[in-house]
Each structure stands twice: as structure tokens, then as C-alpha cells.
């Protein structure tokens, strides 16, 4: 089942069970995917493009969550946390730090990287392998650790 179909099914279910918060997030995700399709001039996005949109939405919420926590806006923190839970339901299963570290080690060996100057080369090969399955900041931190 494609993400578009899953969102439609979940939207119907959320309407029937009167889950306003979930319905709001699903509509927002559908709009984000539709906007990306329009921007790219396509009728339907590929799975990879849909994953990019979902990753962007998760990152936006995490950034907002951090800012709201810093500002002491507990009302908005709770709202963003619940949205984040709903959005993450559509993301692939996240890799553990150990799994990411193993992939980082393999890519560093594969690219013969030895210093921080090779970080761009490593990240270029690594990110497509972990796209949507690992947080970019974690990946970057692990690459820097291995290359230092």
C-alpha cells in the first residue's frame, strides 16, 4: 500500500472515530506531499520523494519542539509532541545508534576516508543508505567521531 493510500485510509478512520488531532496531522501530511508533487511537476511522488517530505516534516517538528521547550511554551510543546508521534507512524523503522555506527564504519572503509576532510565524501555515500531511517545529526556526529 502506498503512503498516499495509507494516508487516505487513516484519514477516513480518523474522521469516523472523531480524532481531530490525528486528522489534522494527516491532512497536513497530504498537503505537504501534494505541494511537493506540484513543485516537482509530477502527479505522484516516488517512495523516496515521499520519504524526503516525511523526513522534512519530522525535522521541522523536532526543531519547533526544541524552540518551544527553550521558550517555556508547555502548551505548544505538548501539541508538537503529539504531532510528532503521528508523523513518525508513517516513517520507516528507525535504526539504532549501533546499527548506524556499523553502517558508518562500513562506508568509511568503502570510501577509504581517513580525515575530517573526507567527511563530504563519506556523507554523500552514507545518507542515501540511511535516508529516513536515521537522524542526520546523529549520522554526522558518528562520522565526525570516526574520522577524528
Amino acid at each position: 500500500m502506498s503512503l498516499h493510500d495509507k494516508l487516505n485510509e487513516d484519514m477516513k478512520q480518523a474522521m469516523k472515530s472523531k480524532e481531530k488531532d490525528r486528522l489534522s496531522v494527516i491532512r497536513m501530511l497530504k498537503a505537504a506531499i501534494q505541494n511537493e508533487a506540484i513543485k516537482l511537476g509530477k502527479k505522484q511522488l516516488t517512495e523516496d520523494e515521499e520519504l524526503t517530505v516525511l523526513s522534512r516534516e519530522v525535522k521541522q517538528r523536532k526543531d519547533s519542539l526544541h524552540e518551544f521547550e527553550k521558550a517555556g511554551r508547555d502548551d505548544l510543546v505538548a501539541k508538537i509532541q503529539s504531532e510528532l508521534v503521528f508523523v513518525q507512524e508513517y516513517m520507516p523503522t528507525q535504526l539504532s545508534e549501533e546499527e548506524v555506527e556499523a553502517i558508518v564504519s562500513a562506508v568509511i572503509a568503502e570510501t577509504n576516508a581517513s580525515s575530517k576532510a573526507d567527511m563530504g565524501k563519506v556523507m554523500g555515500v552514507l545518507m542515501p543508505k540511511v535516508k529516513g531511517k536515521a537522524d542526520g545529526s546523529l549520522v554526522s556526529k558518528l562520522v565526525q567521531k570516526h574520522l577524528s
Side-chain angles (χ1 to χ4, degrees):
M1 175 183 288
S2 74
L3 178 63
H4 187 262
D5 295 337
K6 182 159 176 42
L7 286 170
N8 282 334
E9 281 299 311
D10 290 351
M11 189 167 86
K12 288 176 193 171
Q13 193 60 42
M15 284 178 179
K16 287 178 184 174
S17 58
K18 297 186 185 342
E19 295 176 78
K20 290 181 183 176
D21 293 339
R22 175 181 226 97
L23 182 60
S24 169
V25 171
I26 292 170
R27 284 182 171 151
M28 178 275 313
L29 287 174
K30 285 184 62 155
I33 289 169
Q34 185 66 35
N35 289 339
E36 186 72 10
I38 290 168
K39 187 175 108 181
L40 297 174
K42 295 183 172 183
K43 194 168 183 84
Q44 185 91 21
L45 295 179
T46 64
E47 239 179 83
D48 199 39
E49 292 164 337
E50 289 175 341
L51 190 56
T52 301
V53 173
L54 286 176
S55 297
R56 187 180 322 131
E57 294 297 324
V58 167
K59 184 174 179 350
Q60 283 177 350
R61 273 160 191 72
K62 285 183 178 178
D63 292 346
S64 297
L65 189 62
H66 178 69
E67 292 300 316
F68 291 146
E69 284 172 343
K70 215 162 62 173
R73 296 291 311 268
D74 296 333
D75 55 331
L76 294 174
V77 166
K79 181 181 185 293
I80 295 295
Q81 282 175 331
S82 70
E83 283 184 10
L84 194 53
V85 168
F86 292 139
V87 174
Q88 287 177 328
E89 287 178 15
Y90 299 101
M91 294 290 290
T93 305
Q94 297 294 295
L95 297 171
S96 70
E97 190 168 336
E98 293 78 29
E99 292 170 317
V100 174
E101 195 150 3
I103 296 170
V104 166
S105 297
V107 169
I108 288 174
E110 176 187 321
T111 58
N112 297 320
S114 57
S115 69
K116 287 194 177 191
D118 298 323
M119 187 161 171
K121 181 169 60 169
V122 172
M123 292 298 281
V125 173
L126 183 62
M127 287 312 288
K129 294 182 179 190
V130 298
K131 185 175 187 174
K133 298 178 193 163
D135 183 45
S137 61
L138 170 67
V139 173
S140 176
K141 183 179 79 171
L142 290 173
V143 170
Q144 285 179 357
K145 183 178 108 180
H146 280 272
L147 291 178
S148 59

